[in-house]
Amino acid sequence: MTDDVREEDGRIPVAEAPLPLPLEFEAYYLTNQEAFHEFALFVLGTNDLAEKAVHRAFRELLRHWDDLLTEPDLPEQAWNIMRRVVIDELLGTLRENMTAMDSGIGLYPALCKLPSRQFDVVVLKFIGKYDTKHIAWYMGLTPSTVRHHCRKALERLAPIHRRATRPMKRRDTL
């Protein structure tokens, strides 16, 4: 067991960063954190998920900060990172929640069994209504690779679709 150093009011002090953050990054964080949080909260629906996403986004921004400073459109690039992190969080949460959903035909469990890339492509295309170009950008893939993953996912889901759309047999009731 370790002895923790407590302040006079009994709180454990917040650990200091091992290296000081770049001043420009701190300013960017202070200026944009609230807008990032509001966006994440709107999309993800809970404060915990929003805080997690914003934290991940700013960690990624910090990792790429020196490169971002050379970009003529730093705000756009930073916002793109934020959007990707929020969408990634949303897809992860959706996949977890789908396991408990009932479609009546077994669609949701089948979707959850898809490999990650196929799942992401199907959700972004058919639920999010994103086009192939935007899905490719988000996932860092070529459009042809996105089409490949979509085709493979639809092949895996085809038996469920056939069962769901099979015509009902009628019995004569004369």
Side-chain angles (χ1 to χ4, degrees):
M1 183 153 91
T2 62
D3 295 321
D4 33 318
V5 179
R6 295 186 181 268
E7 294 184 3
E8 289 181 22
D9 63 1
R11 291 181 299 135
I12 298 173
V14 175
E16 292 183 28
L19 297 173
L21 295 172
L23 186 58
E24 298 90 353
F25 179 81
E26 285 188 53
Y28 189 83
Y29 173 83
L30 292 172
T31 304
N32 294 285
Q33 186 275 336
E34 188 174 335
F36 281 23
H37 182 80
E38 290 300 318
F39 173 75
L41 182 60
F42 178 78
V43 172
L44 299 171
T46 71
N47 197 50
D48 288 343
L49 290 174
E51 285 182 10
K52 181 179 172 186
V54 171
H55 180 73
R56 280 182 50 211
F58 274 105
R59 282 184 27 222
E60 186 172 337
L61 287 170
L62 182 58
R63 272 195 312 274
H64 302 287
W65 189 247
D66 290 336
D67 293 331
L68 286 168
L69 286 176
T70 64
E71 294 285 332
D73 56 351
L74 179 130
E76 181 181 347
Q77 296 300 321
W79 189 254
N80 287 339
I81 289 171
M82 179 63 200
R83 285 183 68 236
R84 269 186 255 150
V85 168
V86 168
I87 291 170
D88 186 56
E89 189 69 36
L90 184 62
L91 287 171
T93 302
L94 177 64
R95 190 174 193 132
E96 290 171 15
N97 292 339
M98 266 190 182
T99 58
M101 299 169 91
D102 179 25
S103 67
I105 61 171
L107 177 62
Y108 299 132
L111 278 169
C112 291
K113 290 178 184 174
L114 291 174
S116 295
R117 284 187 173 181
Q118 291 178 15
F119 175 84
D120 293 353
V121 166
V122 167
V123 169
L124 290 170
K125 184 168 187 68
F126 297 106
I127 296 174
K129 305 292 185 203
Y130 286 92
D131 62 25
T132 301
K133 177 181 161 188
H134 286 97
I135 296 169
W137 169 82
Y138 164 68
M139 294 181 68
L141 303 171
T142 64
S144 63
T145 303
V146 168
R147 287 189 292 274
H148 170 78
H149 287 302
C150 187
R151 188 171 48 256
K152 290 299 183 184
L154 293 177
E155 287 172 8
R156 287 176 178 235
L157 298 172
I160 292 166
H161 182 261
R162 279 194 294 274
R163 279 195 310 263
T165 58
R166 185 178 337 149
M168 304 269 290
K169 294 182 180 178
R170 292 186 186 169
R171 292 186 180 179
D172 290 336
T173 55
L174 293 176

Coordinates of all heavy atoms in Angstrom, one line a residue, residues 35-125:
A35 N -17.1 23.6 -27.3 CA -17.8 23.2 -28.6 C -17.7 21.7 -28.9 O -18.6 21.1 -29.3 CB -17.3 24.1 -29.7
F36 N -16.5 21.2 -28.7 CA -16.3 19.8 -29.0 C -17.2 19.0 -28.1 O -17.8 18.0 -28.5 CB -14.8 19.4 -28.7 CG -13.8 19.7 -29.9 CD1 -14.1 20.7 -30.8 CD2 -12.6 19.1 -30.0 CE1 -13.2 21.0 -31.8 CE2 -11.7 19.4 -31.0 CZ -12.1 20.3 -31.9
H37 N -17.2 19.4 -26.8 CA -18.0 18.6 -25.8 C -19.5 18.7 -26.2 O -20.2 17.7 -26.1 CB -17.8 19.2 -24.4 CG -18.6 18.4 -23.4 ND1 -18.2 17.2 -22.9 CD2 -19.8 18.7 -22.8 CE1 -19.1 16.7 -22.0 NE2 -20.1 17.6 -22.0
E38 N -20.0 19.9 -26.6 CA -21.4 20.0 -27.0 C -21.7 19.1 -28.2 O -22.8 18.5 -28.2 CB -21.8 21.5 -27.3 CG -21.8 22.3 -26.0 CD -22.8 21.9 -25.0 OE1 -23.9 21.5 -25.4 OE2 -22.4 22.0 -23.8
F39 N -20.9 19.1 -29.1 CA -21.1 18.2 -30.3 C -21.1 16.8 -29.9 O -22.0 16.0 -30.3 CB -20.0 18.5 -31.3 CG -20.0 17.5 -32.5 CD1 -20.9 17.7 -33.5 CD2 -19.1 16.5 -32.6 CE1 -21.0 16.8 -34.6 CE2 -19.1 15.6 -33.7 CZ -20.0 15.8 -34.7
A40 N -20.1 16.3 -29.1 CA -20.1 14.9 -28.7 C -21.3 14.6 -27.9 O -21.8 13.5 -28.0 CB -18.8 14.7 -27.9
L41 N -21.7 15.5 -27.0 CA -22.9 15.2 -26.1 C -24.1 15.1 -27.0 O -25.0 14.2 -26.8 CB -23.1 16.3 -25.1 CG -24.2 16.2 -24.1 CD1 -24.0 14.9 -23.3 CD2 -24.3 17.4 -23.2
F42 N -24.3 15.9 -28.0 CA -25.5 15.8 -28.9 C -25.5 14.5 -29.6 O -26.5 13.8 -29.7 CB -25.5 17.0 -29.9 CG -26.6 16.9 -30.9 CD1 -27.9 17.3 -30.5 CD2 -26.4 16.4 -32.1 CE1 -29.0 17.2 -31.4 CE2 -27.5 16.3 -33.0 CZ -28.7 16.7 -32.6
V43 N -24.3 14.1 -30.2 CA -24.3 12.8 -30.9 C -24.3 11.6 -30.1 O -25.1 10.6 -30.4 CB -23.0 12.8 -31.8 CG1 -22.8 11.5 -32.5 CG2 -23.0 13.9 -32.8
L44 N -23.6 11.6 -29.0 CA -23.5 10.4 -28.1 C -24.6 10.3 -27.0 O -24.8 9.2 -26.6 CB -22.1 10.3 -27.5 CG -21.0 10.3 -28.5 CD1 -19.6 10.4 -27.8 CD2 -21.0 9.0 -29.3
G45 N -25.1 11.4 -26.6 CA -26.3 11.3 -25.7 C -26.0 11.3 -24.2 O -26.9 11.6 -23.4
T46 N -24.8 11.0 -23.8 CA -24.5 11.0 -22.4 C -23.2 11.8 -22.1 O -22.3 11.8 -23.0 CB -24.3 9.6 -21.8 OG1 -23.0 9.0 -22.3 CG2 -25.4 8.7 -22.1
N47 N -23.1 12.4 -21.0 CA -22.0 13.2 -20.6 C -20.7 12.3 -20.5 O -19.6 12.8 -20.9 CB -22.2 13.9 -19.3 CG -21.3 15.1 -19.1 OD1 -21.1 15.9 -20.0 ND2 -20.6 15.1 -17.9
D48 N -20.8 11.1 -20.0 CA -19.7 10.3 -19.8 C -19.1 9.9 -21.2 O -17.8 10.0 -21.4 CB -20.0 9.0 -19.1 CG -20.3 9.2 -17.6 OD1 -19.9 10.3 -17.1 OD2 -20.9 8.3 -17.0
L49 N -19.9 9.5 -22.1 CA -19.4 9.2 -23.5 C -18.8 10.4 -24.2 O -17.8 10.3 -24.8 CB -20.5 8.6 -24.3 CG -21.0 7.2 -24.0 CD1 -22.2 6.8 -24.8 CD2 -19.8 6.2 -24.1
A50 N -19.5 11.6 -24.0 CA -19.0 12.8 -24.6 C -17.6 13.2 -24.0 O -16.7 13.5 -24.8 CB -19.9 14.0 -24.3
E51 N -17.4 13.1 -22.7 CA -16.1 13.4 -22.1 C -15.1 12.5 -22.6 O -13.9 12.9 -22.8 CB -16.3 13.4 -20.6 CG -17.0 14.6 -20.0 CD -17.0 14.6 -18.5 OE1 -16.4 13.7 -17.8 OE2 -17.8 15.4 -17.9
K52 N -15.4 11.2 -22.7 CA -14.5 10.2 -23.1 C -14.0 10.5 -24.6 O -12.8 10.5 -24.9 CB -15.1 8.8 -23.1 CG -14.2 7.7 -23.5 CD -15.0 6.3 -23.4 CE -14.2 5.2 -24.0 NZ -15.0 3.9 -24.0
A53 N -15.0 10.8 -25.4 CA -14.6 11.1 -26.8 C -13.8 12.4 -26.9 O -12.8 12.4 -27.7 CB -15.9 11.3 -27.6
V54 N -14.1 13.4 -26.2 CA -13.4 14.7 -26.3 C -12.0 14.5 -25.8 O -11.0 14.9 -26.3 CB -14.1 15.8 -25.5 CG1 -13.2 17.0 -25.3 CG2 -15.4 16.2 -26.2
H55 N -11.8 13.7 -24.7 CA -10.5 13.4 -24.2 C -9.7 12.6 -25.2 O -8.5 13.0 -25.5 CB -10.6 12.5 -22.9 CG -9.3 12.2 -22.3 ND1 -8.5 13.1 -21.6 CD2 -8.7 11.0 -22.3 CE1 -7.4 12.5 -21.2 NE2 -7.5 11.2 -21.6
R56 N -10.3 11.6 -25.9 CA -9.6 10.9 -26.9 C -9.2 11.8 -28.1 O -8.1 11.7 -28.6 CB -10.4 9.8 -27.4 CG -10.4 8.5 -26.6 CD -11.3 7.4 -27.2 NE -11.0 7.1 -28.5 CZ -11.8 6.7 -29.4 NH1 -13.1 6.4 -29.1 NH2 -11.5 6.4 -30.7
A57 N -10.1 12.7 -28.5 CA -9.8 13.6 -29.6 C -8.6 14.5 -29.3 O -7.7 14.7 -30.1 CB -11.1 14.4 -29.9
F58 N -8.6 15.1 -28.1 CA -7.5 16.0 -27.7 C -6.2 15.3 -27.5 O -5.2 15.8 -27.9 CB -7.9 16.9 -26.5 CG -8.7 18.1 -26.9 CD1 -10.0 18.2 -26.6 CD2 -8.0 19.2 -27.5 CE1 -10.7 19.3 -27.0 CE2 -8.7 20.3 -27.9 CZ -10.1 20.4 -27.6
R59 N -6.3 14.0 -27.1 CA -5.0 13.2 -27.0 C -4.5 13.0 -28.5 O -3.3 13.1 -28.7 CB -5.3 11.9 -26.3 CG -5.3 12.1 -24.8 CD -5.4 10.8 -24.0 NE -4.9 9.6 -24.7 CZ -5.5 8.4 -24.7 NH1 -6.7 8.3 -24.0 NH2 -5.0 7.4 -25.2
E60 N -5.4 12.7 -29.4 CA -5.0 12.5 -30.8 C -4.4 13.8 -31.4 O -3.4 13.9 -32.1 CB -6.1 12.0 -31.6 CG -5.6 11.6 -33.0 CD -6.7 10.9 -33.9 OE1 -7.6 10.3 -33.3 OE2 -6.5 11.0 -35.1
L61 N -5.1 14.9 -31.1 CA -4.7 16.2 -31.5 C -3.2 16.5 -31.0 O -2.4 17.0 -31.7 CB -5.6 17.4 -31.1 CG -6.9 17.4 -31.8 CD1 -7.9 18.4 -31.1 CD2 -6.7 17.8 -33.3
L62 N -3.0 16.2 -29.7 CA -1.7 16.5 -29.1 C -0.6 15.6 -29.8 O 0.5 16.1 -30.1 CB -1.7 16.2 -27.6 CG -0.4 16.5 -26.9 CD1 0.0 17.9 -27.0 CD2 -0.6 16.1 -25.4
R63 N -1.0 14.4 -30.1 CA 0.0 13.5 -30.8 C 0.4 14.1 -32.2 O 1.5 13.9 -32.6 CB -0.6 12.1 -31.0 CG -0.3 11.2 -29.9 CD -0.6 9.7 -30.2 NE -1.8 9.5 -30.9 CZ -3.0 9.3 -30.4 NH1 -3.1 9.3 -29.1 NH2 -4.1 9.0 -31.1
H64 N -0.5 14.8 -32.8 CA -0.2 15.3 -34.2 C -0.1 16.8 -34.2 O -0.1 17.4 -35.3 CB -1.4 14.9 -35.1 CG -1.6 13.4 -35.2 ND1 -0.7 12.6 -35.9 CD2 -2.6 12.6 -34.7 CE1 -1.2 11.4 -35.8 NE2 -2.3 11.3 -35.1
W65 N 0.1 17.4 -33.0 CA 0.1 18.9 -32.9 C 1.1 19.5 -33.8 O 0.8 20.5 -34.5 CB 0.2 19.3 -31.5 CG 0.0 20.7 -31.3 CD1 0.9 21.7 -30.9 CD2 -1.2 21.4 -31.5 NE1 0.3 22.9 -30.9 CE2 -1.0 22.8 -31.2 CE3 -2.5 21.0 -31.8 CZ2 -2.0 23.8 -31.3 CZ3 -3.5 22.0 -31.9 CH2 -3.2 23.3 -31.6
D66 N 2.3 19.1 -33.8 CA 3.4 19.7 -34.6 C 3.0 19.7 -36.1 O 3.2 20.7 -36.8 CB 4.7 19.1 -34.4 CG 5.3 19.4 -33.0 OD1 4.9 20.4 -32.4 OD2 6.1 18.6 -32.5
D67 N 2.5 18.6 -36.6 CA 2.1 18.5 -38.0 C 0.9 19.4 -38.2 O 0.8 20.1 -39.3 CB 1.7 17.1 -38.4 CG 3.0 16.2 -38.4 OD1 4.1 16.7 -38.6 OD2 2.8 15.0 -38.1
L68 N -0.1 19.4 -37.3 CA -1.3 20.3 -37.5 C -0.9 21.8 -37.5 O -1.6 22.5 -38.3 CB -2.3 20.0 -36.3 CG -3.0 18.7 -36.4 CD1 -3.7 18.4 -35.1 CD2 -4.0 18.6 -37.5
L69 N 0.1 22.2 -36.8 CA 0.5 23.6 -36.8 C 1.0 24.0 -38.2 O 0.9 25.2 -38.6 CB 1.6 23.9 -35.8 CG 1.1 23.9 -34.4 CD1 2.3 24.1 -33.4 CD2 0.0 25.0 -34.1
T70 N 1.4 23.1 -39.0 CA 1.9 23.4 -40.4 C 0.7 23.5 -41.4 O 0.9 23.9 -42.5 CB 3.0 22.4 -40.9 OG1 2.4 21.1 -41.0 CG2 4.2 22.4 -39.9
E71 N -0.4 23.0 -41.0 CA -1.6 22.9 -41.9 C -2.2 24.3 -42.0 O -2.4 25.0 -41.0 CB -2.6 22.0 -41.4 CG -2.2 20.5 -41.3 CD -2.2 19.9 -42.7 OE1 -3.0 20.3 -43.6 OE2 -1.4 19.0 -42.9
P72 N -2.6 24.7 -43.2 CA -3.3 26.0 -43.4 C -4.7 26.0 -42.8 O -5.2 27.1 -42.5 CB -3.3 26.2 -44.9 CG -3.2 24.9 -45.5 CD -2.4 24.0 -44.5
D73 N -5.2 24.8 -42.6 CA -6.6 24.7 -42.2 C -6.7 23.9 -40.8 O -7.4 22.9 -40.7 CB -7.5 24.1 -43.2 CG -7.0 22.7 -43.7 OD1 -5.9 22.3 -43.3 OD2 -7.7 22.0 -44.4
L74 N -5.9 24.3 -39.9 CA -5.8 23.6 -38.6 C -7.2 23.4 -38.0 O -7.5 22.3 -37.5 CB -4.9 24.3 -37.6 CG -4.9 23.6 -36.2 CD1 -3.4 23.5 -35.8 CD2 -5.6 24.4 -35.2
P75 N -8.1 24.4 -37.9 CA -9.4 24.1 -37.3 C -10.2 23.0 -38.1 O -10.8 22.2 -37.4 CB -10.1 25.5 -37.5 CG -9.0 26.5 -37.5 CD -7.9 25.8 -38.3
E76 N -10.1 23.0 -39.4 CA -10.8 21.9 -40.1 C -10.2 20.6 -39.8 O -11.0 19.6 -39.6 CB -10.8 22.2 -41.6 CG -11.5 21.2 -42.5 CD -11.4 21.5 -44.0 OE1 -11.0 22.6 -44.3 OE2 -11.8 20.6 -44.7
Q77 N -8.9 20.5 -39.8 CA -8.2 19.2 -39.5 C -8.6 18.7 -38.1 O -8.8 17.6 -37.9 CB -6.7 19.3 -39.7 CG -6.3 19.6 -41.1 CD -6.7 18.6 -42.1 OE1 -6.7 17.4 -41.8 NE2 -7.2 19.0 -43.3
A78 N -8.6 19.7 -37.2 CA -8.9 19.3 -35.8 C -10.3 18.8 -35.7 O -10.6 17.9 -35.0 CB -8.6 20.5 -34.8
W79 N -11.2 19.5 -36.3 CA -12.6 19.1 -36.3 C -12.8 17.8 -36.9 O -13.6 17.0 -36.4 CB -13.5 20.2 -37.0 CG -15.0 19.9 -36.8 CD1 -15.9 19.4 -37.7 CD2 -15.7 20.1 -35.5 NE1 -17.1 19.3 -37.1 CE2 -17.0 19.7 -35.8 CE3 -15.3 20.5 -34.3 CZ2 -18.0 19.7 -34.8 CZ3 -16.3 20.6 -33.3 CH2 -17.6 20.1 -33.5
N80 N -12.1 17.5 -38.0 CA -12.2 16.2 -38.6 C -11.8 15.1 -37.7 O -12.4 14.0 -37.6 CB -11.3 16.1 -39.9 CG -12.0 16.9 -41.0 OD1 -13.2 17.2 -41.1 ND2 -11.1 17.3 -42.0
I81 N -10.7 15.3 -36.9 CA -10.3 14.4 -35.9 C -11.4 14.2 -34.8 O -11.7 13.1 -34.5 CB -9.0 14.8 -35.2 CG1 -7.8 14.6 -36.2 CG2 -8.7 14.0 -34.0 CD1 -6.5 15.2 -35.8
M82 N -12.0 15.3 -34.4 CA -13.1 15.2 -33.4 C -14.2 14.4 -34.0 O -14.8 13.5 -33.3 CB -13.5 16.6 -33.0 CG -14.6 16.7 -32.0 SD -14.1 15.9 -30.5 CE -15.7 15.6 -29.8
R83 N -14.6 14.7 -35.2 CA -15.8 13.9 -35.8 C -15.4 12.4 -35.9 O -16.3 11.6 -35.6 CB -16.1 14.4 -37.2 CG -16.8 15.8 -37.2 CD -17.1 16.3 -38.6 NE -18.2 15.4 -39.1 CZ -18.0 14.8 -40.3 NH1 -17.0 14.9 -41.0 NH2 -19.0 14.0 -40.7
R84 N -14.2 12.1 -36.3 CA -13.9 10.7 -36.4 C -13.9 10.0 -35.1 O -14.4 8.9 -35.0 CB -12.4 10.5 -37.0 CG -12.5 10.4 -38.5 CD -11.1 10.2 -39.0 NE -10.6 11.4 -39.6 CZ -9.4 11.9 -39.6 NH1 -8.4 11.1 -39.2 NH2 -9.1 13.0 -40.2
V85 N -13.4 10.6 -34.0 CA -13.4 10.0 -32.7 C -14.9 9.9 -32.2 O -15.2 8.8 -31.7 CB -12.6 10.9 -31.7 CG1 -12.9 10.5 -30.3 CG2 -11.1 10.8 -32.0
V86 N -15.7 10.8 -32.4 CA -17.1 10.7 -32.0 C -17.8 9.6 -32.8 O -18.6 8.8 -32.2 CB -17.9 12.1 -32.1 CG1 -19.4 11.9 -32.0 CG2 -17.3 13.1 -31.1
I87 N -17.6 9.5 -34.1 CA -18.3 8.5 -34.9 C -17.8 7.1 -34.4 O -18.5 6.2 -34.3 CB -18.0 8.7 -36.4 CG1 -18.8 9.9 -36.8 CG2 -18.4 7.5 -37.2 CD1 -18.4 10.4 -38.2
D88 N -16.5 7.0 -34.1 CA -15.9 5.8 -33.7 C -16.5 5.4 -32.3 O -16.9 4.2 -32.1 CB -14.4 5.9 -33.5 CG -13.7 4.6 -33.1 OD1 -13.9 3.6 -33.9 OD2 -13.0 4.6 -32.1
E89 N -16.7 6.3 -31.4 CA -17.3 6.0 -30.1 C -18.8 5.6 -30.3 O -19.3 4.7 -29.7 CB -17.3 7.3 -29.2 CG -17.7 7.1 -27.8 CD -16.7 6.2 -27.0 OE1 -15.5 6.3 -27.3 OE2 -17.2 5.4 -26.2
L90 N -19.5 6.3 -31.2 CA -20.9 6.0 -31.5 C -21.0 4.6 -32.1 O -21.9 3.8 -31.7 CB -21.4 7.0 -32.5 CG -22.9 6.8 -32.8 CD1 -23.8 7.0 -31.6 CD2 -23.3 7.9 -33.9
L91 N -20.1 4.2 -33.0 CA -20.2 2.8 -33.6 C -19.9 1.8 -32.5 O -20.6 0.7 -32.5 CB -19.2 2.7 -34.7 CG -19.6 3.4 -36.0 CD1 -18.4 3.4 -37.0 CD2 -20.8 2.8 -36.7
G92 N -18.9 2.0 -31.7 CA -18.6 1.1 -30.6 C -19.8 0.9 -29.7 O -20.1 -0.2 -29.3
T93 N -20.4 2.0 -29.3 CA -21.6 1.9 -28.4 C -22.7 1.3 -29.1 O -23.4 0.4 -28.5 CB -21.9 3.4 -28.0 OG1 -20.8 4.0 -27.3 CG2 -23.1 3.4 -27.0
L94 N -22.9 1.6 -30.3 CA -24.0 1.0 -31.1 C -23.9 -0.6 -31.1 O -24.8 -1.3 -30.9 CB -24.1 1.5 -32.5 CG -25.2 0.9 -33.4 CD1 -26.6 1.2 -32.9 CD2 -25.0 1.5 -34.8
R95 N -22.7 -1.0 -31.4 CA -22.4 -2.4 -31.5 C -22.7 -3.1 -30.2 O -23.3 -4.2 -30.2 CB -21.0 -2.7 -32.0 CG -20.7 -4.1 -32.3 CD -19.3 -4.3 -32.9 NE -19.2 -5.6 -33.5 CZ -18.7 -5.9 -34.7 NH1 -18.2 -4.9 -35.4 NH2 -18.7 -7.1 -35.2
E96 N -22.3 -2.5 -29.1 CA -22.6 -3.1 -27.8 C -24.1 -3.1 -27.5 O -24.6 -4.1 -27.0 CB -21.9 -2.2 -26.7 CG -20.4 -2.3 -26.7 CD -19.8 -1.3 -25.7 OE1 -20.5 -0.7 -24.9 OE2 -18.5 -1.1 -25.9
N97 N -24.8 -2.1 -27.9 CA -26.2 -2.0 -27.6 C -27.0 -2.9 -28.5 O -28.1 -3.4 -28.1 CB -26.7 -0.6 -27.7 CG -26.2 0.3 -26.6 OD1 -25.8 -0.2 -25.6 ND2 -26.2 1.6 -26.9
M98 N -26.5 -3.2 -29.7 CA -27.3 -4.0 -30.7 C -27.4 -5.5 -30.2 O -28.4 -6.1 -30.6 CB -26.6 -4.0 -32.0 CG -27.1 -3.0 -33.0 SD -26.3 -3.4 -34.6 CE -27.0 -2.0 -35.5
T99 N -26.5 -5.9 -29.4 CA -26.6 -7.3 -29.0 C -27.9 -7.6 -28.2 O -28.4 -8.7 -28.2 CB -25.4 -7.7 -28.1 OG1 -25.3 -6.9 -27.0 CG2 -24.1 -7.7 -28.9
A100 N -28.5 -6.5 -27.5 CA -29.7 -6.7 -26.8 C -30.9 -6.3 -27.6 O -32.0 -6.5 -27.1 CB -29.6 -5.8 -25.5
M101 N -30.8 -5.9 -28.8 CA -31.9 -5.4 -29.6 C -32.6 -6.7 -30.3 O -31.9 -7.6 -30.6 CB -31.5 -4.4 -30.6 CG -31.0 -3.1 -30.0 SD -30.2 -2.1 -31.2 CE -31.6 -1.0 -31.7
D102 N -33.9 -6.6 -30.5 CA -34.6 -7.7 -31.2 C -35.2 -7.1 -32.5 O -36.1 -6.2 -32.4 CB -35.6 -8.2 -30.3 CG -36.4 -9.4 -31.0 OD1 -35.9 -10.0 -31.9 OD2 -37.5 -9.6 -30.5
S103 N -34.8 -7.7 -33.6 CA -35.4 -7.2 -34.9 C -36.5 -8.2 -35.3 O -37.2 -7.9 -36.3 CB -34.3 -7.2 -36.0 OG -33.8 -8.5 -36.2
G104 N -36.6 -9.3 -34.6 CA -37.6 -10.3 -35.0 C -37.1 -11.3 -36.0 O -37.7 -12.3 -36.2
I105 N -36.0 -11.0 -36.7 CA -35.5 -11.9 -37.8 C -34.0 -12.2 -37.5 O -33.4 -12.9 -38.3 CB -35.6 -11.3 -39.2 CG1 -34.9 -9.9 -39.3 CG2 -37.1 -11.1 -39.6 CD1 -34.8 -9.4 -40.7
G106 N -33.5 -11.7 -36.4 CA -32.1 -12.0 -36.1 C -31.1 -11.1 -36.8 O -29.9 -11.5 -36.8
L107 N -31.5 -10.0 -37.3 CA -30.6 -9.1 -38.0 C -29.5 -8.5 -37.1 O -28.3 -8.5 -37.4 CB -31.4 -7.9 -38.6 CG -30.5 -6.9 -39.4 CD1 -29.7 -7.5 -40.5 CD2 -31.4 -5.8 -39.9
Y108 N -29.9 -8.0 -35.9 CA -28.9 -7.3 -35.0 C -27.8 -8.3 -34.5 O -26.7 -7.9 -34.6 CB -29.6 -6.6 -33.9 CG -30.6 -5.6 -34.3 CD1 -31.9 -5.5 -33.8 CD2 -30.2 -4.6 -35.3 CE1 -32.8 -4.5 -34.3 CE2 -31.1 -3.7 -35.7 CZ -32.4 -3.6 -35.2 OH -33.2 -2.7 -35.7
P109 N -28.2 -9.5 -34.1 CA -27.1 -10.4 -33.7 C -26.2 -10.7 -34.9 O -25.0 -10.8 -34.7 CB -27.8 -11.7 -33.2 CG -29.1 -11.2 -32.8 CD -29.5 -10.0 -33.7
A110 N -26.8 -10.8 -36.1 CA -25.9 -11.1 -37.3 C -25.0 -9.9 -37.6 O -23.9 -10.1 -37.9 CB -26.8 -11.4 -38.5
L111 N -25.5 -8.7 -37.4 CA -24.7 -7.5 -37.7 C -23.5 -7.5 -36.7 O -22.4 -7.2 -37.0 CB -25.5 -6.2 -37.5 CG -26.3 -5.8 -38.7 CD1 -27.3 -4.7 -38.3 CD2 -25.4 -5.3 -39.8
C112 N -23.8 -7.8 -35.4 CA -22.8 -7.8 -34.4 C -21.7 -8.9 -34.6 O -20.6 -8.7 -34.1 CB -23.4 -8.0 -33.0 SG -24.4 -6.6 -32.5
K113 N -22.0 -9.9 -35.4 CA -21.0 -11.0 -35.7 C -20.2 -10.6 -36.9 O -19.2 -11.3 -37.2 CB -21.7 -12.3 -36.0 CG -22.4 -12.9 -34.7 CD -23.1 -14.2 -35.0 CE -23.8 -14.7 -33.8 NZ -24.6 -15.9 -34.1
L114 N -20.5 -9.5 -37.6 CA -19.7 -9.1 -38.7 C -18.3 -8.6 -38.2 O -18.2 -8.1 -37.2 CB -20.3 -7.9 -39.5 CG -21.6 -8.2 -40.3 CD1 -22.2 -6.9 -40.8 CD2 -21.3 -9.2 -41.4
P115 N -17.3 -8.8 -39.0 CA -16.0 -8.2 -38.7 C -16.1 -6.7 -38.6 O -17.0 -6.1 -39.2 CB -15.1 -8.6 -39.9 CG -15.7 -9.8 -40.5 CD -17.2 -9.6 -40.3
S116 N -15.2 -6.1 -37.8 CA -15.3 -4.6 -37.5 C -15.5 -3.8 -38.7 O -16.4 -2.9 -38.8 CB -14.1 -4.2 -36.7 OG -14.1 -4.8 -35.5
R117 N -14.7 -4.0 -39.7 CA -14.8 -3.1 -40.9 C -16.1 -3.3 -41.6 O -16.7 -2.3 -42.1 CB -13.6 -3.3 -41.9 CG -12.3 -2.7 -41.4 CD -11.3 -2.8 -42.5 NE -10.1 -2.1 -42.1 CZ -9.0 -2.0 -42.8 NH1 -9.0 -2.7 -44.0 NH2 -8.0 -1.4 -42.4
Q118 N -16.6 -4.5 -41.8 CA -17.9 -4.7 -42.4 C -19.0 -4.1 -41.6 O -19.9 -3.5 -42.2 CB -18.1 -6.2 -42.6 CG -17.2 -6.9 -43.6 CD -17.3 -8.3 -43.8 OE1 -18.3 -8.9 -43.4 NE2 -16.4 -9.0 -44.4
F119 N -18.9 -4.3 -40.3 CA -20.0 -3.7 -39.4 C -20.0 -2.2 -39.6 O -21.0 -1.6 -39.8 CB -19.7 -4.0 -38.0 CG -20.6 -3.4 -37.0 CD1 -21.8 -3.9 -36.7 CD2 -20.2 -2.2 -36.3 CE1 -22.7 -3.3 -35.8 CE2 -21.1 -1.6 -35.4 CZ -22.3 -2.2 -35.2
D120 N -18.8 -1.6 -39.5 CA -18.7 -0.1 -39.6 C -19.3 0.4 -41.0 O -20.0 1.4 -41.0 CB -17.3 0.4 -39.5 CG -16.8 0.2 -38.0 OD1 -17.6 -0.2 -37.2 OD2 -15.6 0.4 -37.8
V121 N -18.9 -0.3 -42.1 CA -19.4 0.1 -43.4 C -20.9 0.0 -43.5 O -21.6 0.9 -44.0 CB -18.7 -0.7 -44.5 CG1 -19.4 -0.5 -45.8 CG2 -17.2 -0.3 -44.6
V122 N -21.4 -1.1 -43.0 CA -22.9 -1.3 -43.1 C -23.6 -0.2 -42.3 O -24.6 0.4 -42.7 CB -23.3 -2.7 -42.6 CG1 -24.8 -2.8 -42.4 CG2 -22.8 -3.7 -43.7
V123 N -23.2 0.0 -41.1 CA -23.8 1.0 -40.2 C -23.7 2.4 -40.8 O -24.7 3.1 -40.9 CB -23.3 1.0 -38.8 CG1 -23.7 2.2 -38.0 CG2 -23.7 -0.3 -38.1
L124 N -22.5 2.8 -41.3 CA -22.4 4.1 -41.8 C -23.2 4.3 -43.1 O -23.8 5.3 -43.4 CB -20.9 4.4 -42.1 CG -20.0 4.6 -40.9 CD1 -18.6 4.6 -41.2 CD2 -20.4 5.8 -40.1
K125 N -23.2 3.2 -43.9 CA -24.0 3.3 -45.2 C -25.5 3.2 -45.1 O -26.2 4.1 -45.6 CB -23.5 2.2 -46.2 CG -24.1 2.3 -47.5 CD -23.4 1.4 -48.5 CE -23.9 1.5 -49.9 NZ -23.5 2.8 -50.5

